[in-house]
Amino acid sequence: MRREIPLIITTIAGLVFAISYFIPHWPFVEAESIFGDWIAIVQAFAIWLGALNLIKVSLEKIYRKKEDAFYSGIIIVCLLVTLGIGFYDGFSGGAQSSFRDTGTTFDWLYRFIYTPLTSTMFAMLAFFVASASYRAFRARNFEATLLLIAGFFVMGGRVPLFDLALKPFTDVPYFSEFAGWIMAYPLTAGMTAIMIGIALGIMSSSLRIILGIERSHIGGA
Amino acid sequence: MKFISIYFVLLVSLSVSAQTNDNDSTSLLVNDSLTIKIAPPTSVIVEDYKYDDADNLQLHWVPSIDDMPQDGKVVRYRIYQSTNNGSFVLVDSVNFSVNMKKIEGLAIDSTYQFMVSAVSKNYEAKSNKTITIQTEREWINFNLASLFLIALLITSAVIYFIETARRGKELFVRKIAGLEAVDEAIGRATEMGRPILFIPGIHDMDDVQTLAAITILGKVARQVADYDTKIRMPVARSLVMTAARETIKTAYQTAGRPDAYNDDMVNYITDEQFGYVAAVDGIMVREKPATIFLLGAFFAESLILAETGNSVGAIQIAGTARPAQLPFFIAACDFTLIGEELFAASAYLSGEPKMLGSLKGQDVGKAIAMGVIIVGVISITLGEAYGIEFFSNITSSIQSFFTVNK
């Protein structure tokens, strides 16, 4: 029964969502809405599950004095401080205010600590794009050479410098037009093919799950 | 004297009162001259909103003749609703030049009547009342008929091939390099004595990509249990953590090594995208895993994770159904499962006939897509180049069949 009940729920939920897409009629629409509410409730409780796991893993590292116990300490302190400030701001402002309101301490934490940290991580992408491009554009084989040539024209077409270099010879912006052609035709064709494959893959995968053939996600063999 | 004084007081008060009335009538006259009179909207029609759950009606009208795009007198339209023959109440308003409105949140067992008024700065002109109407419920959304047919065809093909495979017919599935490399990648981690890192993306269990990643995890964990290799799986969603633990636990039990399983193999980090990336990058740099699986839904973090993995010398197998992230994975990882290959992975790795059958059914969909694309390209080329009506009709038929208006 440990496997059968989740399988039955999966099948029913999957069928209800699929049918309600084509049949907008009672009871499918109502059932879809109920399942949606269930998902929200389960996810809300699962957040605590995750938070408790994070605290447990971090405390264990501190207790066992592991190499990176220092970072675990920072996690615990940050978690408790953020939680504490959030609760304080939420309760002290009365019923009309929220801990997310502009000007609260929680808002300050968000704007001046969380956002810069996030931006820092995101900024690393610029350096990684450079190193990944270097590897991808090395003309090791035919495909990589093709990529290099396409990349050269697309990048060249995106900046005015290349068209400007052609200005003494012609007024036609060949670089930007060729870049536009690459983006509009070969790229769109390739992307569409991938999208069709993905849609069919999702369909086939969903069918396997709904029919109970695929069970790995519920711990089935 | 007393009467005379009362008489004068009355006379004065009456004259003041008369003056005031005069002033009022003057002001009325002034207001009336400033009133921006407009014509009401006409032909107000209400009809059932098709293919809903009987909770909407569609209202449309011919705009007032004073509703002009430039220097028009109409500023908005007000919509009045009467429920069960009750009085009309204002329920909504829309800007000028709008001539339709979907009325939402209605009940199937009530009757409704509507009236629309055009409003200028200081005048309101109401239309006639509409007919009395009730909402209706349709069983099938015929707008999606073509989509339903395609879905039915592909579903039938998938089920047919599953049954064919069940009966024992051998099915050919092409080799997928990324999945062929799974054994080698796990073996490498075992030989090097370093852990395997499995990243299931940053979406929850309601994303089919995460489900695909978890199904692949089941196959990977089975081999990990057999080889006694260490696996680490930091996750960004609590439900993924629970599902992944269950999957790995079952894999260890199936391999006959339940004692080797530990809940800490999977741990939750945070729901926040870049917080998760920072933590995973830290794990990569500190623990230097020999093998990294990046399978699931990835966004801006894909390249940050893949490049960090590359820098620590790990063999990386990535896969996602996000086309925008595929180039990053192809550039930074050793093997990439492109789109559909991610969903085919669990069937491919299991090698079970009924799972492989579903892949063959998928191929029928691809064959249909290819056929339609070829016919479409030929018909549009001949139709446009030579003006042959027959081919133009084929093109428009294909376009209308594959255009979905939900």
Side-chain angles (χ1 to χ4, degrees):
Chain A
M1 287 306 279
R2 212 168 146 255
R3 297 272 177 271
E4 279 73 14
I5 290 174
L7 264 182
I8 292 166
I9 294 172
T10 309
T11 306
I12 292 172
L15 285 175
V16 162
F17 275 98
I19 292 170
S20 67
Y21 188 72
F22 296 104
I23 303 177
H25 200 287
W26 183 90
F28 302 108
V29 177
E30 282 75 6
E32 187 189 339
S33 156
I34 289 168
F35 283 135
D37 291 344
W38 286 4
I39 291 168
I41 292 166
V42 171
Q43 280 177 338
F45 278 96
I47 287 173
W48 282 105
L49 203 66
L52 291 175
N53 175 256
L54 185 69
I55 294 170
K56 179 184 162 260
V57 170
S58 303
L59 284 177
E60 265 180 18
K61 277 185 186 167
I62 296 167
Y63 180 72
R64 288 178 190 167
K65 293 179 182 164
K66 282 193 174 178
E67 199 182 342
D68 50 352
F70 174 71
Y71 302 111
S72 300
I74 291 176
I75 286 175
I76 298 281
V77 171
C78 289
L79 183 77
L80 294 178
V81 167
T82 312
L83 257 179
I85 289 174
F87 275 122
Y88 176 77
D89 282 346
F91 287 116
S92 63
Q96 297 301 316
S97 65
S98 161
F99 66 97
R100 288 175 177 173
D101 289 347
T102 311
T104 59
T105 317
F106 191 85
D107 177 59
W108 186 90
L109 278 181
Y110 191 85
R111 282 196 292 148
F112 298 111
I113 296 182
Y114 173 76
T115 307
L117 286 173
T118 304
S119 305
T120 308
M121 280 310 295
F122 188 55
M124 283 167 64
L125 199 57
F127 302 101
F128 286 139
V129 163
S131 60
S133 304
Y134 171 72
R135 266 202 314 283
F137 289 150
R138 268 186 306 175
R140 288 168 299 181
N141 50 34
F142 175 70
E143 286 87 356
T145 313
L146 210 61
L147 189 70
L148 176 68
I149 295 166
F152 172 77
F153 280 107
V154 170
M155 284 194 278
R158 290 282 181 266
V159 289
L161 185 69
F162 284 65
D163 282 333
L164 206 66
L166 291 178
K167 198 81 177 166
F169 312 103
T170 176
D171 281 341
V172 183
Y174 280 115
F175 268 102
S176 31
E177 282 193 1
F178 190 54
W181 182 85
I182 291 175
M183 298 299 283
Y185 296 101
L187 180 95
T188 309
M191 279 291 192
T192 308
I194 291 174
M195 291 301 291
I196 291 172
I198 289 169
L200 290 167
I202 289 174
M203 209 169 159
S204 169
S205 200
S206 306
L207 265 175
R208 284 201 300 269
I209 292 165
I210 289 172
L211 296 174
I213 296 169
E214 181 73 78
R215 298 169 180 210
S216 308
H217 62 287
I218 50 165
Chain B
M1 274 303 286
K2 195 176 177 183
F3 284 109
I4 292 168
S5 59
I6 289 171
Y7 172 73
F8 271 107
V9 168
L10 277 172
L11 200 66
V12 169
S13 63
L14 275 173
S15 78
V16 169
S17 161
Q19 274 178 7
T20 315
N21 284 340
D22 279 354
N23 286 344
D24 278 350
S25 63
T26 316
S27 111
L28 260 178
L29 279 173
V30 170
N31 276 345
D32 199 37
S33 68
L34 287 176
T35 300
I36 304 171
K37 286 194 171 172
I38 48 173
T42 51
S43 305
V44 183
I45 294 170
V46 63
E47 55 191 9
D48 183 48
Y49 190 87
K50 288 286 176 202
Y51 312 129
D52 63 345
D53 191 31
D55 48 1
N56 303 308
L57 287 171
Q58 182 70 49
L59 191 65
H60 43 91
W61 58 89
V62 173
S64 159
I65 50 168
D66 298 303
D67 184 353
M68 312 272 187
Q70 281 186 334
D71 303 326
K73 294 176 188 170
V74 178
V75 289
R76 69 174 65 85
Y77 291 99
R78 284 181 184 156
I79 296 161
Y80 293 88
Q81 176 184 314
S82 155
T83 309
N84 295 326
N85 295 319
S87 55
F88 279 88
V89 284
L90 179 70
V91 287
D92 210 338
S93 68
V94 292
N95 283 337
F96 65 95
S97 81
V98 176
N99 69 339
M100 64 169 73
K101 179 73 189 163
K102 181 180 171 188
I103 312 291
E104 296 172 322
L106 304 174
I108 193 168
D109 49 357
S110 299
T111 59
Y112 298 97
Q113 220 178 352
F114 294 89
M115 210 160 58
V116 180
S117 72
V119 181
S120 70
K121 279 180 184 167
N122 52 10
Y123 189 80
E124 184 174 12
K126 288 182 177 173
S127 71
N128 293 329
K129 295 171 192 170
T130 62
I131 53 161
T132 304
I133 192 171
Q134 265 187 297
T135 56
E136 286 174 27
R137 209 174 237 161
E138 293 84 15
W139 270 101
I140 294 171
N141 186 348
F142 284 102
N143 279 342
L144 301 173
S146 56
L147 191 67
F148 179 73
L149 277 176
I150 297 166
L152 193 67
L153 192 68
I154 297 168
T155 306
S156 310
V158 169
I159 293 170
Y160 169 77
F161 279 105
I162 288 171
E163 282 306 311
T164 308
R166 256 188 194 149
R167 284 197 294 269
K169 192 182 176 192
E170 288 241 343
L171 299 170
F172 169 76
V173 178
R174 72 174 166 90
K175 292 233 180 288
I176 300 174
L179 298 174
E180 290 290 312
V182 168
D183 285 350
E184 184 197 329
I186 297 170
R188 182 177 187 258
T190 313
E191 282 170 12
M192 293 174 81
R194 289 190 349 213
I196 290 168
L197 196 62
F198 195 102
I199 317 290
I202 59 164
H203 265 188
D204 216 330
M205 288 302 290
D206 55 356
D207 190 314
V208 71
Q209 295 178 75
T210 314
L211 274 174
I214 296 293
T215 54
I216 299 169
L217 171 72
K219 319 296 175 197
V220 170
R222 176 71 201 271
Q223 269 181 290
V224 165
D226 281 338
Y227 294 165
D228 198 17
T229 315
K230 196 179 162 196
I231 187 167
R232 276 217 63 178
M233 189 174 170
V235 296
R237 305 284 162 171
S238 315
L239 287 180
V240 178
M241 176 184 79
T242 318
R245 277 181 176 172
E246 196 65 22
T247 304
I248 298 177
K249 196 176 182 178
T250 309
Y252 271 76
Q253 281 169 348
T254 314
R257 308 193 62 244
D259 51 307
Y261 170 76
N262 181 357
D263 264 352
D264 292 342
M265 287 171 175
V266 186
N267 71 296
Y268 171 81
I269 304 282
T270 170
D271 278 38
E272 295 295 337
Q273 184 183 22
F274 288 107
Y276 177 69
V277 174
V280 175
D281 275 3
I283 292 168
M284 284 181 189
V285 172
R286 286 193 299 273
E287 299 189 11
K288 294 196 169 28
T291 302
I292 299 173
F293 290 94
L294 295 154
L295 303 168
F298 291 90
F299 298 85
E301 72 285 356
S302 62
L303 191 63
I304 301 176
L305 293 172
E307 273 296 286
T308 311
N310 190 288
S311 71
V312 299
I315 182 169
Q316 297 195 101
I317 298 175
T320 184
R322 305 276 316 170
Q325 307 306 323
L326 284 170
F328 297 133
F329 279 150
I330 290 168
C333 298
D334 299 278
F335 299 97
T336 306
L337 303 174
I338 299 174
E340 59 167 330
E341 292 176 346
L342 173 69
F343 302 111
S346 64
Y348 188 94
L349 291 172
S350 74
E352 281 179 49
K354 55 187 178 181
M355 296 273 267
L356 294 175
S358 69
L359 298 185
K360 295 304 283 183
Q362 200 175 313
D363 286 348
V364 172
K366 273 190 235 169
I368 294 170
M370 279 192 278
V372 172
I373 288 169
I374 291 167
V375 172
V377 167
I378 292 170
S379 67
I380 200 166
T381 306
L382 294 177
E384 292 286 321
Y386 302 104
I388 305 168
E389 200 184 338
F390 172 72
F391 289 110
S392 302
N393 289 342
I394 291 177
T395 310
S396 55
S397 302
I398 291 173
Q399 281 174 339
S400 65
F401 187 79
F402 287 96
T403 306
V404 174
N405 301 312
K406 192 169 188 289

